[in-house]
Amino acid sequence: MKRTVEIVLSVLGVITSLVMVGTGVVFLYLKNNEAFLQYLDSGWTASQNAYTLEQLGQAGTMFILPGIIGVVLGVCAVMMLKGNRSPKLAGWGLIIISVIISIVSVIGMIPALFFIIAGIMALVRKAKG
């Protein structure tokens, strides 16, 4: 049985996880960028600058961590789904990935939606015949 829909949804989850990693890296880069720091100093108070830099650091970490988890485990699930090797294990893995990503970061809900739909489909679909 072909698992094309599950694979496509898993790949979309991996791609959105990669976007999350990229966004987190940009946040961490901005935190240390001299031009951005000068922009902050020109229009904001010192307390607003400190708060913004703190939030950028936290947001960067909260984007990178679930993104890396989603990429690594999502690729593993795609490999298990390819060729219909172990769809039940891949389905449970995708559901667990989505729960972990959702717990770590609220923004992680975006790739988690793709992963949970693919996981449920992998568990529910039966082989023809």
Side-chain angles (χ1 to χ4, degrees):
M1 169 181 222
K2 290 187 176 184
R3 300 272 181 183
T4 306
V5 176
E6 291 93 333
I7 292 171
V8 168
L9 287 171
S10 298
V11 168
L12 285 173
V14 169
I15 290 171
T16 54
S17 294
L18 281 172
V19 169
M20 284 180 56
V21 171
T23 305
V25 168
V26 168
F27 284 163
L28 291 178
Y29 171 75
L30 282 178
K31 182 180 160 190
N32 298 323
N33 186 348
E34 190 63 37
F36 183 71
L37 293 174
Q38 288 175 353
Y39 167 75
L40 288 179
D41 288 336
S42 68
W44 294 9
T45 65
S47 64
Q48 289 173 329
N49 289 348
Y51 178 75
T52 301
L53 293 175
E54 179 186 341
Q55 291 301 314
L56 281 174
Q58 288 178 358
T61 305
M62 285 296 133
F63 274 61
I64 291 174
L65 182 63
I68 290 174
I69 292 170
V71 168
V72 171
L73 298 178
V75 169
C76 291
V78 168
M79 293 301 152
M80 284 189 281
L81 285 170
K82 199 153 182 83
N84 205 21
R85 287 187 212 141
S86 55
K88 298 293 181 195
L89 180 62
W92 281 112
L94 286 166
I95 291 172
I96 291 170
I97 292 168
S98 64
V99 170
I100 291 171
I101 290 174
S102 300
I103 289 172
V104 172
S105 174
V106 174
I107 299 298
M109 292 295 277
I110 297 168
L113 288 173
F114 292 117
F115 288 140
I116 197 145
I117 293 169
I120 290 170
M121 287 181 69
L123 289 174
V124 172
R125 288 179 68 186
K126 302 286 183 200
K128 294 178 183 175

